Amino acid sequence: MVVEVRVSGGRAELRPRGELVHGCARTLADTLGELPDGVREIELDMSGVHFMDTAGLGFLDLLDDHRHRHGVPVRTAHWQGQPRRILELAGLDTEEPLRSAAHGGAGPAGPPPRTTSAVALERAERLRMLREEIAQLRQAIASRPVIDQARGMLMAAHGCTSQEAWTILRETSQLSNTKLRTVAAMVTAGAGSEGTPLPDDIRSALRTALFHHRS
């Protein structure tokens, strides 16, 4: 991730770009530390962040800590796509997550032990959901190239459209009870005269899916 900085008068505008993952909090800390004296307001435009994992929550903690230690208003804006979804799962305000953090703590005396336990359990469940969704997204990103390649091969071999090739792969996956990425990898490996033959169950399922396409 890189952070573009623009300072005008007493206002600093920071524009993170890329993925908000492990190590990005250090980049942000360095950026905040290099801001000139006299900055009285900080705003982060998050529209350039297209992926965020649970490290993004540490990123927010750092911002919150900075505003408390320096007495400088800090806000974020323009959360979009997957990072916005992470905020939703974490139970944070998607327009201004720092506002959620500021008002999410307990009062001076603290809540009763039972309430603390309930909050802890809720946060643990949200964190589990965050990690699960991020893992699924990473798997989808890793699977996309081989799936796209298999779609291209089906389009060339059977004269179908990209959407039809996708439907054929998905139906083959369902009929053979095999993961879509595995089916795509087998179709790709089986291409050409010296390719690896498809297993019987995959070949049968693919034949059925192609028959449905042609019907």
Side-chain angles (χ1 to χ4, degrees):
M1 185 188 73
V2 297
V3 181
E4 301 172 4
V5 180
R6 182 169 59 188
V7 178
S8 178
R11 182 175 182 273
E13 182 178 354
L14 279 56
R15 295 182 177 179
R17 297 286 183 269
E19 297 186 352
L20 212 174
V21 293
H22 179 71
C24 290
R26 181 70 263 170
T27 301
L28 175 63
D30 291 342
T31 301
L32 292 172
E34 293 170 359
L35 291 177
D37 294 336
V39 169
R40 298 184 300 276
E41 179 184 358
I42 300 173
E43 178 170 337
L44 279 81
D45 178 352
M46 305 300 293
S47 60
V49 176
H50 54 80
F51 178 84
M52 181 173 87
D53 62 14
T54 50
L57 303 182
F59 186 90
L60 292 173
D61 287 341
L62 180 61
L63 286 173
D64 197 41
D65 179 67
H66 182 86
R67 71 174 177 176
H68 284 299
R69 285 192 296 109
H70 295 275
V72 176
V74 180
R75 66 181 300 269
T76 64
H78 309 305
W79 293 86
Q80 300 175 9
Q82 186 266 352
R84 185 183 180 94
R85 173 61 176 159
I86 294 298
L87 296 181
E88 292 173 349
L89 287 174
L92 298 175
D93 188 323
T94 55
E95 298 301 324
E96 180 45 88
L98 290 178
R99 181 167 58 231
S100 305
H103 294 85
R114 184 175 299 178
T115 303
T116 301
S117 176
V119 170
L121 289 173
E122 181 180 1
R123 287 179 177 172
E125 175 62 15
R126 285 175 174 171
L127 184 59
R128 184 194 67 77
M129 292 173 64
L130 282 172
R131 288 173 173 162
E132 186 175 292
E133 181 157 321
I134 290 168
Q136 291 173 353
L137 181 59
R138 289 192 185 279
Q139 183 177 14
I141 291 172
S143 301
R144 184 169 179 175
V146 69
I147 292 174
D148 286 346
Q149 189 175 1
R151 289 169 71 178
M153 290 178 176
L154 289 176
M155 290 166 64
H158 302 284
C160 56
T161 66
S162 177
Q163 182 58 45
E164 289 169 341
W166 166 257
T167 301
I168 291 168
L169 284 173
R170 187 177 59 188
E171 185 173 347
T172 301
S173 170
Q174 293 170 345
L175 290 171
S176 62
N177 195 27
T178 306
K179 290 183 178 180
L180 181 62
R181 186 185 186 283
T182 302
V183 171
M186 289 180 176
V187 169
T188 301
S193 57
E194 298 182 1
T196 304
L198 293 174
D200 291 342
D201 57 336
I202 302 296
R203 184 170 60 252
S204 175
L206 179 59
R207 186 183 302 117
T208 300
L210 287 168
F211 174 78
H212 291 164
H213 159 64
R214 292 165 180 161
S215 300

